[in-house]
Amino acid sequence: SKQEGNRSSRADNWAWRLRWLAAVGPGEEGNMRKNVLMILVAGCAALAFATQSWQRYTPGKTGISVELPGKPEPMPLELPADVKKEVSSMENHMLFTGDFFVVVSKVTYSTMHVNLQGAADGAVQRVQQTPGYQGKSFTQKPFKMGSLSAIYIHGEYNVGGDPVVHHQIVVAKEKMLWQVVITYDARRAERAADARRILDSVSISG
């Protein structure tokens, strides 16, 4: 149907947009930032599905507990060789409802300790490098999630003329980096409440 075709087109247009870069510094000091991870979500239209009822999920072994309007699915990624050697383990899970993305991620590095500020800055820079990106500056707000140090990122921008709202939580401890990323079509005002519910529900054990 025409409605299904429009939904598929929106999915194709949105699928390639969600990408982030974790930038960490070697050693505890983190004096030198090194870009070690880039994730590009592509061709995800096939994952679109009807929104389910809200439940609390703890995807895989991420240690992230979060309320979501559907079950997140594993998102396997093949890392470049130079990045893979620095990663001890990585797990990503994604929920995609057609105009609303949520990605839950945990990365454990082999030797380097995570530079939290570098990871947040890298995430913003990667979004700003998206082809067709036009937007204002992002805001970052440090906070504590229990005993863990975290940064909340918010941005609103356009990609290819389509308005996007971006929320991201970046959490770090020693060699571990957790992320919860939410992006949605800014024209869907009702998604703001969904995003807030997700953000308020996040907890991490690690």
Side-chain angles (χ1 to χ4, degrees), residues 163-176:
V164 181
V165 178
H166 182 111
H167 299 277
Q168 187 162 349
I169 294 175
V170 183
V171 184
K173 178 183 178 182
E174 298 175 351
K175 300 175 185 178
M176 294 176 287

Side-chain angles (χ1 to χ4, degrees), residues 34-51:
K34 183 174 183 181
N35 296 335
V36 298
L37 175 65
M38 182 176 74
I39 298 173
L40 173 62
V41 176
C44 300
L47 298 178
F49 56 90
T51 301

Side-chain angles (χ1 to χ4, degrees), residues 176-188:
M176 294 176 287
L177 176 68
W178 297 267
Q179 297 188 81
V180 176
V181 185
I182 305 166
T183 68
Y184 62 91
D185 188 332
R187 293 166 293 199
R188 299 293 300 273

Side-chain angles (χ1 to χ4, degrees), residues 21 29 35 57 71 75 121 133 144 151 179 189 195 204:
L21 182 68
E29 300 83 0
N35 296 335
Y57 297 91
K71 183 180 179 180
M75 186 176 70
D121 291 343
Y133 169 89
K144 282 286 189 178
I151 293 177
Q179 297 188 81
I204 295 175

